[in-house]
Amino acid sequence: MNTGSCNACDIEILATLMPRYDAERFGIKLVGSPRHADVLLVTGTVTEKIKDNILQVYEQVPEPKLVIVIGGCGSTKGVFQESYAMAGPVDAILPVDVYIPGCPPRPEAIIYGIAKAWEKLEKLQK
Amino acid sequence: MDEVIGVAIAIVVAGVFAGLFLKGIDRKLAAFMQSRIGPPIAQPIYDILKLKQKQTIIPSTSVRWLFTGAPLVALTSGIVLLLYISLSYVCYIIGLQSPVQGDLIVIMYLILIPSIAIISGAFASGSPYASIGAQREMVILMSTELPIAVVVLSIAWHVADSMYNPFALQSLFEYTLWHHAGAFGILGGILLFLAMILVLPAEMSKVPFDQAEAETEIAEGVMVEYSGKLLAFLLLTDAFKALSLSALIVILFFPYTFTGLFGLSFSIGSYSITPLIEIIFFIGKVVIVYSIGVTVIRVIMARLKISQVAKVFLFAVSAISIIGMVLIMLDPKMKMI
């Protein structure tokens, strides 16, 4: 879910799915509906405008679910510290499980973060 | 009779795994063609096991009984479809007397039922994306009806020359198209096979005919509101449909047995393992048909518009199948009625 990012993180997510890194070899793929998702990827700081929408999408994901923040803006507010249009970093709105910092993070970092999320999900099951 | 019930239960249990592995092979092969490594072949099984643990959300705007009932109806009819198509064949290759002959006309109707159940579930979910998906699914169903009917009827017409029952699947094992046809008949048979191969991705909702589930466009369309166990039922239905439609094409066009082709039989000690070899050979043929009809086509093509789909099936594919039918009827080697 893009919550006001510059699209660089989204392009890196796509690069993760492409032949060079191929996230599908771990069974990971992008799904079209939040109802089919296990993990919500959030890129970018949350703007005031999109705050309600991201909460709505988060509630549509069935339990157990995780939130992964991709990029520096989402993790810390990045360069938008003083901006009047920003509702804050993602963890002010949603319970975040994994942060993947970087501007944008490399695909290796994204795969590592997803592996961390996976470990957390396995712990939740026990 | 008890043996046949045992065979039927074995078919359903083996069908779950065979269908899911078929989807896994499809994903692996697609990844190979895109020079990726691809998921393990058992990935669809892991997905089903994962969905079993997920929460099942039922939207407040949905019609509850229809929304939850539709995937069950779809799964049940998928199982019935697989049994109806493969029971008589499996009994034939392992040498049992089958109680079901396998009526081609009933199969034509059974193919529709899982799709109709999914359509009603989508309308009941109350999501606008699902409504659009359901309408598109209906258009695709209606436009593929004519080619399927023509293919089935012309194959039945060819069997009608013989002493066998023209609408029974069983008579196709004994009286295959290619053996009794001249040049016209063989050409017609190839055209009919081509039409069936084009119908397969449309029935399976795969690219280029996946408008009903277009995930980047209408967010998975008919499946948009389904989650957890209900989604697992829909994925299982999909696996059963993949298996049974490919099995139908195999039976219509290539019902040869391994022993029949190569004149071999196998045994370990005093036990004959020929039936096992035959079933593996049959599943191998199913995998080849599914790879050609679904995997290769979905990798090399992009999604069409919904109006183009109606045109492709109502004009091009119908024309191919009707020409095939006329060629089979003109074949001088088959006697006229």
Side-chain angles (χ1 to χ4, degrees):
Chain A
M1 171 112 191
N2 183 329
T3 56
S5 83
C6 65
N7 232 333
C9 294
D10 304 303
I11 291 169
E12 292 303 310
I13 294 172
L14 290 181
T16 313
L17 297 170
M18 288 293 116
R20 190 170 180 95
Y21 296 101
D22 189 24
E24 206 192 342
R25 69 198 147 124
F26 306 118
I28 298 163
K29 54 178 189 175
L30 285 184
V31 291
S33 156
R35 297 261 192 247
H36 303 176
D38 306 309
V39 170
L40 190 63
L41 302 178
V42 187
T43 62
T45 335
V46 181
T47 60
E48 290 287 353
K49 283 270 184 194
I50 210 160
K51 197 173 146 190
D52 296 337
N53 301 41
I54 188 174
L55 278 171
Q56 208 178 3
V57 170
Y58 179 74
E59 279 158 15
Q60 283 175 349
V61 180
E63 295 282 350
K65 58 190 163 189
L66 295 178
V67 176
I68 300 181
V69 175
I70 291 179
C73 305
S75 313
T76 62
K77 245 174 151 180
V79 292
F80 304 107
Q81 294 294 341
E82 313 263 307
S83 168
Y84 60 88
M86 295 298 168
V90 179
D91 54 7
I93 318 282
L94 298 177
V96 176
D97 297 284
V98 178
Y99 299 89
I100 306 175
C103 187
R106 288 194 56 79
E108 292 98 324
I110 297 179
I111 291 179
Y112 180 69
I114 289 172
K116 283 278 172 200
W118 199 327
E119 281 168 19
K120 187 161 182 180
L121 207 57
E122 274 172 0
K123 269 182 210 148
L124 275 182
Q125 279 174 1
K126 280 168 197 163
Chain B
M1 196 63 203
D2 289 343
E3 286 164 329
V4 175
I5 292 172
V7 170
I9 293 170
I11 288 178
V12 174
V13 175
V16 174
F17 290 100
L20 291 174
F21 272 117
L22 188 62
K23 311 283 288 178
I25 291 170
D26 165 53
R27 277 173 75 174
K28 190 86 185 172
L29 191 61
F32 174 72
M33 285 193 264
Q34 293 166 344
S35 70
R36 291 186 287 122
I37 297 168
I41 290 175
Q43 187 62 44
I45 297 179
Y46 303 147
D47 286 347
I48 297 283
L49 292 177
K50 179 205 80 183
L51 286 171
K52 216 176 81 219
Q53 299 174 335
K54 296 278 287 183
Q55 181 193 12
T56 305
I57 299 176
I58 297 166
S60 56
T61 51
S62 66
V63 185
R64 198 186 164 91
W65 64 271
L66 192 53
F67 182 77
T68 48
L72 286 173
V73 174
L75 181 59
T76 321
S77 50
I79 293 173
V80 171
L81 177 64
L82 178 69
L83 273 180
Y84 204 77
I85 289 178
S86 56
L87 185 59
S88 58
Y89 189 78
V90 172
C91 284
Y92 168 74
I93 57 182
I94 65 178
L96 277 174
Q97 183 65 40
S98 166
V100 202
Q101 281 204 320
D103 192 313
L104 280 171
I105 306 250
V106 176
I107 288 173
M108 273 170 59
Y109 283 102
L110 274 179
I111 289 175
L112 287 179
I113 295 178
S115 308
I116 289 173
I118 292 173
I119 288 173
S120 41
F123 276 129
S125 72
S127 160
Y129 293 116
S131 299
I132 295 175
Q135 284 163 7
R136 291 179 173 189
E137 179 85 27
M138 276 200 292
V139 170
I140 295 175
L141 273 188
M142 284 189 282
S143 46
T144 52
E145 270 303 84
L146 182 62
I148 295 181
V150 170
V151 170
V152 165
L153 283 182
S154 31
I155 287 182
W157 188 88
H158 134 262
V159 177
D161 297 347
S162 67
M163 61 205 178
Y164 301 104
N165 178 0
F167 282 109
L169 273 184
Q170 256 180 341
S171 42
L172 287 172
F173 316 149
E174 313 282 347
Y175 199 79
T176 316
L177 180 67
W178 317 106
H179 280 216
H180 307 275
F184 276 174
I186 286 177
L187 195 60
I190 291 172
L191 287 179
L192 292 182
F193 177 64
L194 195 68
M196 255 339 239
I197 281 285
L198 285 173
V199 165
L200 184 62
E203 289 288 336
M204 291 303 307
S205 293
K206 287 285 184 310
V207 178
F209 307 119
D210 71 332
Q211 292 76 11
E213 286 171 17
E215 64 260 316
T216 45
E217 188 187 340
I218 50 169
E220 317 244 348
V222 286
M223 313 228 280
V224 65
E225 290 294 340
Y226 282 105
S227 57
K229 292 192 183 67
L230 296 178
L231 183 61
F233 286 151
L234 289 184
L235 292 185
L236 276 176
T237 311
D238 203 44
F240 273 116
K241 249 180 105 177
L243 197 59
S244 32
L245 288 174
S246 326
L248 178 64
I249 295 182
V250 166
I251 292 174
L252 283 181
F253 295 99
F254 314 106
Y256 303 108
T257 55
F258 194 74
T259 14
L261 270 185
F262 303 107
L264 299 170
S265 60
F266 302 89
S267 56
I268 298 176
S270 56
Y271 293 102
S272 170
I273 55 161
T274 315
L276 191 68
I277 299 282
E278 293 292 3
I279 287 170
I280 293 172
F281 184 59
F282 178 57
I283 292 176
K285 286 190 289 187
V286 165
V287 169
I288 292 172
V289 164
Y290 193 78
S291 311
I292 296 172
V294 174
T295 317
V296 174
I297 294 182
R298 98 183 157 97
V299 170
I300 61 179
M301 287 193 75
R303 189 183 307 129
L304 298 176
K305 289 182 205 159
I306 186 69
S307 55
Q308 290 170 326
V309 173
K311 273 183 203 144
V312 164
F313 280 106
L314 285 180
F315 299 113
V317 180
S318 299
I320 291 175
S321 51
I322 288 172
I323 293 171
M325 178 171 77
V326 171
L327 281 176
I328 285 188
M329 291 170 81
L330 286 178
D331 195 338
K333 258 186 140 182
M334 298 188 205
K335 50 180 193 295
M336 291 291 164
I337 300 171

